[in-house]
Amino acid sequence: MPISYETDRRLWLLQGDTTAYAVRLDAGDVPRHVHWGPSITLSEAVALSHELPDPAASSFEQGPGAAELAVEGGDHFGPASLQVRFADGTRGVEWRFIGHEARGDHLRVELADRYYPLRVTLHYRLQGDVLERWADVVNHGPDQLDVLRADSAAWHVPVQESYRLSHLVGAWNSEFRLRRVELPAAETVLTSRRGTTSHHANPWLAIDDGTAGEEHGEVWSTVLAWSGSWRVTVHRDPGGRTGWTGGFGHEGLTWTLEAGETLTTPTFSGLYSAEGFGAASRAWHAYVTRQVLPHPGEDRPVLYNSWEATGFDVDEAGQMALAARAASLGAELFVMDDGWFGARLSDRAGLGDWQPNSRRFPNGLRPLADEVRRLGMRFGIWVEPEMVNPDSDLYRAHPDWVLHQPNRRRTEMRNQLVLNFARPDVEQWAHAWLDRLVGDLGLDFLKWDFNRAFTEAGPDRVFLEHTRAVYRVMDRLRADHPGLRIEACAGGGGRADLGILRRTDQIWPSDNTDPVDRIGIQHGFGQYFPARVMSSWVTDNPNVTTGRTTPLRFRFHVAMAGVLGLGGDLTTWSADELKEAAEHVAAYKRIRPVVQHGTAYRLEGSGTLTGVQYVRDGEHVIIAWCPTRPYGYTPGPLPLPAVSAGADYLDLDTGITHTGAVLLHRGLPLDLPPGDHASAIVRLRRLP
């Protein structure tokens, strides 16, 4: 049974594939954490539930045992997961246990306040070794109830001598930079106040004792599935106890619950790995594939996007010419980017007027769609449904539709404002034109963008309801148009999370397509996102973001580690470049089943040599990069952790056979070209 219950201790044990999680109720009906780690028996969980005296405890410390959802009030002085204010001004919660229900892999623990009409259900659901947690907060009274904080879950790890925090930081064009730092004895807050997940932080984190590596050591990690503002507070006290609590919304927001209303928090999932950060990532990848993605078994097509070729200078003839060139290289999906609608001659006008520009497309978009399909490709379009330019017919007709507050100026960023999707009329308008656009053209693909943060957002509930409305629009579109696929984009990786990914098929990690920078971006992105959702383009030289010039081979090899795309101005590429590009596209299609559907192992060599190994049914694809090579440095063999010491492996391109023991301990020899920006792809097959 995945869920066991011990009556005397009022303890629940949830058993995953290789891990376990245990929680109990104390004498005051407070849910207390017992265990999160390797598999244990119910009797062992009971033994663990008996607290040992804390030698550092005193009358100034909080009560025994870490709370599963810490509330404001009583003897708790750490960060609160749940803060409420009742109609008479009283704050804090005192629990009364109502009951529990365990069905299959789903546990519900029902709690109520001892005096006030508040009920909370704690949800626990096992998916393999990933534990999903969320909460329902219900106002059972006749009066309004203010919720000042409603986190999805609190997590706790065993006492260690030291702790290390891994998290993702960044900025526009520099997202998903992995940071590993010693966790201070303090409260460390990871957050976004921008109305979206943000470029600057991501709601994933991992904790270890400072000694874990890629393939060894204990790692505890969590991911919040939410695409709006969020906050996670990590707390390490001087006594050595460490945990964190997290959920939607940032500090200072209040949700007002009407009588009978329920607030359901987003899923906050946790995973324990006994075999390092690599095993943790692979477990997250498997979870995303099985439980999150709408169409996990599909091959993601090689796409071409017109943005870097045309910018806003979009017209029918130019797009058709690019489509022909893209098809000749082997592209399978053509995506027309910004500039096709309204008065969109620059980023200053037209956003919100989602009708084709009649001068640029005198017969609408149907001729282009038909030509793209005649060339053997699918057809997609860029949209930014949540934004509007003040210089647009939509804004002139509905200035009240944007986020704004009385007596405050409307802050423009990128010459645009944010439409308030928390308004039912805005949500209905967005769905109507998107449904019409997709239906009329039979669109195969939407690149859904979101290019600026919230400002002047109010009331507080906008931060919740806007994101929920975006989810509903996407859900309706996908239900009504089963062939539609969506890419999540937000000025690059500004809205990359498991909430948006449940409704999309891939994510654009960054507007920065420089392959040197992309290696680091993709390394951080892959901490919990699998390769099959990582959109990566090959673009022009010099790179539009960095000005760096790199070989076409290097650009392709970096992009081939995910979902390959083409984004350059193909009309300027030489005949040799076009020939080489077509060869790389064909090579990608040969390795695509292993890259997109295989198991990923991050590789570390000497110096700047790194790579990724993908494994599927005995087939191995190794992609290696060496961005810089100091004088006298020869990149050595690259050790492969995903081979068996007793097996042999055939190089499918050279015919050379390698022994597994040598590949595992010494490494794979690489035939790298000289100089900087060197790369290689090796295909191996395990021999019977």
Side-chain angles (χ1 to χ4, degrees), residues 576-591:
D576 287 343
E577 287 175 319
L578 293 172
K579 181 177 180 293
E580 182 182 350
E583 292 170 352
H584 286 305
V585 170
Y588 177 74
K589 291 177 181 178
R590 289 193 293 272
I591 67 173

PDB file of all heavy atoms in Angstrom, residues 576-591:
ATOM      1  N   ASP A 576      27.456  27.221 -48.970  1.00  0.00           N
ATOM      2  CA  ASP A 576      28.133  26.256 -48.095  1.00  0.00           C
ATOM      3  C   ASP A 576      27.448  26.179 -46.736  1.00  0.00           C
ATOM      4  O   ASP A 576      27.302  25.088 -46.152  1.00  0.00           O
ATOM      5  CB  ASP A 576      29.595  26.642 -47.924  1.00  0.00           C
ATOM      6  CG  ASP A 576      30.422  26.382 -49.175  1.00  0.00           C
ATOM      7  OD1 ASP A 576      29.950  25.624 -50.046  1.00  0.00           O
ATOM      8  OD2 ASP A 576      31.527  26.961 -49.283  1.00  0.00           O
ATOM      9  N   GLU A 577      27.048  27.333 -46.201  1.00  0.00           N
ATOM     10  CA  GLU A 577      26.361  27.334 -44.905  1.00  0.00           C
ATOM     11  C   GLU A 577      25.016  26.610 -44.999  1.00  0.00           C
ATOM     12  O   GLU A 577      24.646  25.850 -44.096  1.00  0.00           O
ATOM     13  CB  GLU A 577      26.153  28.773 -44.427  1.00  0.00           C
ATOM     14  CG  GLU A 577      27.428  29.457 -43.955  1.00  0.00           C
ATOM     15  CD  GLU A 577      27.207  30.909 -43.605  1.00  0.00           C
ATOM     16  OE1 GLU A 577      26.463  31.612 -44.338  1.00  0.00           O
ATOM     17  OE2 GLU A 577      27.776  31.370 -42.590  1.00  0.00           O
ATOM     18  N   LEU A 578      24.291  26.835 -46.070  1.00  0.00           N
ATOM     19  CA  LEU A 578      22.997  26.161 -46.239  1.00  0.00           C
ATOM     20  C   LEU A 578      23.188  24.662 -46.366  1.00  0.00           C
ATOM     21  O   LEU A 578      22.413  23.873 -45.806  1.00  0.00           O
ATOM     22  CB  LEU A 578      22.274  26.719 -47.452  1.00  0.00           C
ATOM     23  CG  LEU A 578      21.808  28.182 -47.343  1.00  0.00           C
ATOM     24  CD1 LEU A 578      21.286  28.674 -48.686  1.00  0.00           C
ATOM     25  CD2 LEU A 578      20.730  28.330 -46.274  1.00  0.00           C
ATOM     26  N   LYS A 579      24.209  24.243 -47.088  1.00  0.00           N
ATOM     27  CA  LYS A 579      24.474  22.810 -47.230  1.00  0.00           C
ATOM     28  C   LYS A 579      24.832  22.189 -45.888  1.00  0.00           C
ATOM     29  O   LYS A 579      24.314  21.125 -45.508  1.00  0.00           O
ATOM     30  CB  LYS A 579      25.619  22.598 -48.226  1.00  0.00           C
ATOM     31  CG  LYS A 579      25.986  21.129 -48.476  1.00  0.00           C
ATOM     32  CD  LYS A 579      27.074  21.031 -49.532  1.00  0.00           C
ATOM     33  CE  LYS A 579      27.454  19.575 -49.803  1.00  0.00           C
ATOM     34  NZ  LYS A 579      28.111  18.962 -48.620  1.00  0.00           N
ATOM     35  N   GLU A 580      25.709  22.864 -45.136  1.00  0.00           N
ATOM     36  CA  GLU A 580      26.087  22.341 -43.831  1.00  0.00           C
ATOM     37  C   GLU A 580      24.890  22.316 -42.875  1.00  0.00           C
ATOM     38  O   GLU A 580      24.701  21.358 -42.115  1.00  0.00           O
ATOM     39  CB  GLU A 580      27.213  23.180 -43.224  1.00  0.00           C
ATOM     40  CG  GLU A 580      27.688  22.652 -41.870  1.00  0.00           C
ATOM     41  CD  GLU A 580      28.774  23.503 -41.234  1.00  0.00           C
ATOM     42  OE1 GLU A 580      29.316  24.411 -41.912  1.00  0.00           O
ATOM     43  OE2 GLU A 580      29.069  23.282 -40.035  1.00  0.00           O
ATOM     44  N   ALA A 581      24.069  23.366 -42.917  1.00  0.00           N
ATOM     45  CA  ALA A 581      22.892  23.414 -42.046  1.00  0.00           C
ATOM     46  C   ALA A 581      21.951  22.260 -42.336  1.00  0.00           C
ATOM     47  O   ALA A 581      21.417  21.620 -41.408  1.00  0.00           O
ATOM     48  CB  ALA A 581      22.171  24.743 -42.225  1.00  0.00           C
ATOM     49  N   ALA A 582      21.722  21.963 -43.613  1.00  0.00           N
ATOM     50  CA  ALA A 582      20.845  20.849 -43.977  1.00  0.00           C
ATOM     51  C   ALA A 582      21.407  19.533 -43.451  1.00  0.00           C
ATOM     52  O   ALA A 582      20.649  18.653 -42.998  1.00  0.00           O
ATOM     53  CB  ALA A 582      20.663  20.791 -45.485  1.00  0.00           C
ATOM     54  N   GLU A 583      22.724  19.379 -43.481  1.00  0.00           N
ATOM     55  CA  GLU A 583      23.341  18.159 -42.962  1.00  0.00           C
ATOM     56  C   GLU A 583      23.147  18.047 -41.454  1.00  0.00           C
ATOM     57  O   GLU A 583      22.878  16.962 -40.920  1.00  0.00           O
ATOM     58  CB  GLU A 583      24.831  18.151 -43.320  1.00  0.00           C
ATOM     59  CG  GLU A 583      25.093  17.990 -44.818  1.00  0.00           C
ATOM     60  CD  GLU A 583      26.547  18.234 -45.189  1.00  0.00           C
ATOM     61  OE1 GLU A 583      27.319  18.681 -44.293  1.00  0.00           O
ATOM     62  OE2 GLU A 583      26.913  17.981 -46.350  1.00  0.00           O
ATOM     63  N   HIS A 584      23.276  19.167 -40.756  1.00  0.00           N
ATOM     64  CA  HIS A 584      23.071  19.142 -39.299  1.00  0.00           C
ATOM     65  C   HIS A 584      21.612  18.837 -38.954  1.00  0.00           C
ATOM     66  O   HIS A 584      21.337  18.109 -38.001  1.00  0.00           O
ATOM     67  CB  HIS A 584      23.495  20.478 -38.692  1.00  0.00           C
ATOM     68  CG  HIS A 584      24.973  20.689 -38.614  1.00  0.00           C
ATOM     69  ND1 HIS A 584      25.816  19.806 -37.989  1.00  0.00           N
ATOM     70  CD2 HIS A 584      25.757  21.697 -39.098  1.00  0.00           C
ATOM     71  CE1 HIS A 584      27.059  20.254 -38.070  1.00  0.00           C
ATOM     72  NE2 HIS A 584      27.054  21.402 -38.742  1.00  0.00           N
ATOM     73  N   VAL A 585      20.677  19.418 -39.707  1.00  0.00           N
ATOM     74  CA  VAL A 585      19.258  19.138 -39.455  1.00  0.00           C
ATOM     75  C   VAL A 585      18.973  17.646 -39.648  1.00  0.00           C
ATOM     76  O   VAL A 585      18.276  17.020 -38.851  1.00  0.00           O
ATOM     77  CB  VAL A 585      18.357  20.001 -40.361  1.00  0.00           C
ATOM     78  CG1 VAL A 585      16.901  19.539 -40.266  1.00  0.00           C
ATOM     79  CG2 VAL A 585      18.475  21.477 -39.979  1.00  0.00           C
ATOM     80  N   ALA A 586      19.518  17.086 -40.704  1.00  0.00           N
ATOM     81  CA  ALA A 586      19.329  15.650 -40.945  1.00  0.00           C
ATOM     82  C   ALA A 586      19.950  14.822 -39.825  1.00  0.00           C
ATOM     83  O   ALA A 586      19.372  13.817 -39.385  1.00  0.00           O
ATOM     84  CB  ALA A 586      19.939  15.264 -42.292  1.00  0.00           C
ATOM     85  N   ALA A 587      21.130  15.243 -39.358  1.00  0.00           N
ATOM     86  CA  ALA A 587      21.771  14.528 -38.256  1.00  0.00           C
ATOM     87  C   ALA A 587      20.938  14.615 -36.987  1.00  0.00           C
ATOM     88  O   ALA A 587      20.826  13.641 -36.228  1.00  0.00           O
ATOM     89  CB  ALA A 587      23.173  15.096 -38.016  1.00  0.00           C
ATOM     90  N   TYR A 588      20.352  15.788 -36.751  1.00  0.00           N
ATOM     91  CA  TYR A 588      19.507  15.936 -35.565  1.00  0.00           C
ATOM     92  C   TYR A 588      18.313  14.992 -35.622  1.00  0.00           C
ATOM     93  O   TYR A 588      17.937  14.390 -34.605  1.00  0.00           O
ATOM     94  CB  TYR A 588      19.022  17.377 -35.420  1.00  0.00           C
ATOM     95  CG  TYR A 588      18.089  17.556 -34.236  1.00  0.00           C
ATOM     96  CD1 TYR A 588      18.588  17.556 -32.935  1.00  0.00           C
ATOM     97  CD2 TYR A 588      16.717  17.704 -34.416  1.00  0.00           C
ATOM     98  CE1 TYR A 588      17.740  17.701 -31.845  1.00  0.00           C
ATOM     99  CE2 TYR A 588      15.864  17.850 -33.334  1.00  0.00           C
ATOM    100  CZ  TYR A 588      16.388  17.844 -32.051  1.00  0.00           C
ATOM    101  OH  TYR A 588      15.546  17.973 -30.978  1.00  0.00           O
ATOM    102  N   LYS A 589      17.712  14.871 -36.774  1.00  0.00           N
ATOM    103  CA  LYS A 589      16.550  13.991 -36.879  1.00  0.00           C
ATOM    104  C   LYS A 589      16.925  12.537 -36.578  1.00  0.00           C
ATOM    105  O   LYS A 589      16.109  11.775 -36.062  1.00  0.00           O
ATOM    106  CB  LYS A 589      15.921  14.113 -38.266  1.00  0.00           C
ATOM    107  CG  LYS A 589      15.246  15.468 -38.501  1.00  0.00           C
ATOM    108  CD  LYS A 589      14.683  15.595 -39.901  1.00  0.00           C
ATOM    109  CE  LYS A 589      14.030  16.951 -40.117  1.00  0.00           C
ATOM    110  NZ  LYS A 589      13.513  17.114 -41.505  1.00  0.00           N
ATOM    111  N   ARG A 590      18.187  12.161 -36.866  1.00  0.00           N
ATOM    112  CA  ARG A 590      18.630  10.804 -36.540  1.00  0.00           C
ATOM    113  C   ARG A 590      18.774  10.613 -35.034  1.00  0.00           C
ATOM    114  O   ARG A 590      18.495   9.529 -34.517  1.00  0.00           O
ATOM    115  CB  ARG A 590      19.951  10.499 -37.241  1.00  0.00           C
ATOM    116  CG  ARG A 590      19.836  10.328 -38.748  1.00  0.00           C
ATOM    117  CD  ARG A 590      21.096   9.721 -39.342  1.00  0.00           C
ATOM    118  NE  ARG A 590      22.249  10.606 -39.259  1.00  0.00           N
ATOM    119  CZ  ARG A 590      22.563  11.513 -40.178  1.00  0.00           C
ATOM    120  NH1 ARG A 590      21.800  11.636 -41.272  1.00  0.00           N
ATOM    121  NH2 ARG A 590      23.629  12.275 -40.036  1.00  0.00           N
ATOM    122  N   ILE A 591      19.226  11.665 -34.329  1.00  0.00           N
ATOM    123  CA  ILE A 591      19.430  11.513 -32.884  1.00  0.00           C
ATOM    124  C   ILE A 591      18.233  11.987 -32.069  1.00  0.00           C
ATOM    125  O   ILE A 591      18.195  11.781 -30.847  1.00  0.00           O
ATOM    126  CB  ILE A 591      20.697  12.261 -32.422  1.00  0.00           C
ATOM    127  CG1 ILE A 591      20.526  13.774 -32.575  1.00  0.00           C
ATOM    128  CG2 ILE A 591      21.923  11.749 -33.165  1.00  0.00           C
ATOM    129  CD1 ILE A 591      21.669  14.588 -31.982  1.00  0.00           C
TER     130      ILE A 591
END
